[in-house]
Amino acid sequence: MISDNASTAMQAMVFAAGLGTRLKPLTDRMPKALVEVAGKPLLWHVLKRLEQAGASRVVVNVHHFAGQIISYLEEHSFALDLHVSDESSLLLDTGGGLKKASALFQTDRPVLIHNVDILSNVDLTGFYQKAEGKTALLVSSRPSSRQLLFDIDMRLVGWTNLLTGEVKSPYPDLDPDQCRRYAFSGIHAFSPTLFPYMQSWPDRFGIIDFYLSVCHQVEIKGVVKKDLRLMDVGKLDTLKAAEEFLHSL
């Protein structure tokens, strides 16, 4: 149910605008968000998790087959104050999508951000509380060639690609070997106090690039989940495994 009611509970955003090219040919006729796992669309699984976590206001961004997602939200009932951020005219990437949706959020608490194709055992309520009103990235020690870099106090300081040796950081002399390295989960809490820093950015940009550009000015912390179980439902051959994953949670 799409509603205009405001609330003081958790607010969240679901990134659901992607093209889902790795899920072709399914996404030649539907958005990735409506691809089914265990008989329900990926979007349903994420929205139900947000319901259980106590979320109220939830924004879903749309682009690829946007009308199908909007119709789905109108035709199905969720105990959420749902809003749509329409990117039909231009796919804005994660950072640009959040920037476009900024007016739909209240400014007194963080926005819990969740990719539509992520399934996990994360306690979303617990993570939101651990963010303590700040911008926080849920990370883990799971294997990944691309890792976020944190200092001893778990403040974000950079990013590295272990395969290429590339490093991105606002700190020119940063030594990745002296940092704590963790993989990003696709789940994060965004403080609305960072929206002003986005104003000079173009319409389309990635959220991690944005975080890396401001982490020397504002605190962006990492929250480690040691027992993280996470699945990125990004390819056709992961759909069956995703169903088994859900049953095991």
Side-chain angles (χ1 to χ4, degrees):
M1 176 176 63
I2 298 179
S3 165
D4 293 323
N5 295 328
S7 172
T8 57
M10 176 197 293
Q11 56 184 351
M13 181 168 187
V14 179
F15 286 147
L19 299 176
T21 53
R22 295 181 298 162
L23 283 169
K24 284 178 172 290
L26 292 178
T27 48
D28 287 335
R29 55 184 174 83
M30 69 171 67
K32 174 173 60 176
L34 296 186
V35 170
E36 292 191 352
V37 173
K40 296 289 186 180
L42 287 167
L43 181 58
W44 182 91
H45 290 290
V46 175
L47 292 179
K48 284 298 180 180
R49 289 289 313 281
L50 290 171
E51 273 188 359
Q52 295 165 4
S56 178
R57 174 171 301 215
V58 177
V59 174
V60 179
N61 70 340
V62 296
H63 171 79
H64 186 55
F65 290 112
Q68 290 188 29
I69 298 179
I70 293 171
S71 294
Y72 179 83
L73 294 175
E74 290 175 340
E75 294 167 4
H76 292 77
S77 179
F78 295 93
L80 297 166
D81 174 24
L82 286 169
H83 299 258
V84 170
S85 181
D86 194 341
E87 300 176 21
S88 296
S89 60
L90 178 65
L91 183 59
L92 300 176
D93 205 342
T94 50
L98 179 58
K99 178 183 176 182
K100 177 180 172 61
S102 60
L104 298 174
F105 297 112
Q106 298 181 3
T107 60
D108 60 345
R109 58 195 182 279
V111 179
L112 179 72
I113 300 174
H114 199 299
N115 291 351
V116 77
D117 55 0
I118 293 294
L119 304 174
S120 78
N121 66 339
V122 176
D123 173 4
L124 297 178
T125 305
F127 168 66
Y128 193 76
Q129 292 172 345
K130 287 180 180 178
E132 298 177 337
K134 301 177 182 178
T135 298
L137 315 180
L138 185 68
V139 297
S140 75
S141 298
R142 67 186 177 89
S144 174
S145 60
R146 294 173 294 181
Q147 297 186 336
L148 294 173
L149 304 174
F150 299 88
D151 65 15
I152 194 172
D153 297 317
M154 286 304 293
R155 291 184 57 143
L156 180 68
V157 293
W159 171 95
T160 188
N161 185 321
L162 298 180
L163 298 180
T164 66
E166 180 185 7
V167 175
K168 295 180 181 180
S169 173
Y171 301 99
D173 299 322
L174 183 72
D175 180 357
D177 291 334
Q178 300 301 314
C179 299
R180 298 184 176 187
R181 302 177 182 179
Y182 292 100
F184 182 42
S185 68
I187 300 171
H188 42 134
F190 178 89
S191 170
T193 60
L194 268 63
F195 278 129
Y197 292 87
M198 288 183 166
Q199 295 312 304
S200 62
W201 282 67
D203 290 339
R204 177 183 172 89
F205 62 94
I207 191 63
I208 293 298
D209 287 335
F210 170 75
Y211 286 151
L212 293 171
S213 77
V214 299
C215 63
H216 62 307
Q217 299 173 278
V218 297
E219 181 180 1
I220 300 175
K221 64 179 185 177
V223 175
V224 181
K225 182 168 178 57
K226 295 180 180 179
D227 62 341
L228 177 67
R229 296 182 60 206
L230 180 145
M231 188 165 191
D232 177 355
V233 188
K235 299 179 181 179
L236 285 175
D237 60 6
T238 62
L239 293 178
K240 179 61 177 177
E243 182 172 348
E244 295 172 354
F245 180 85
L246 279 175
H247 290 320
S248 71
L249 292 178

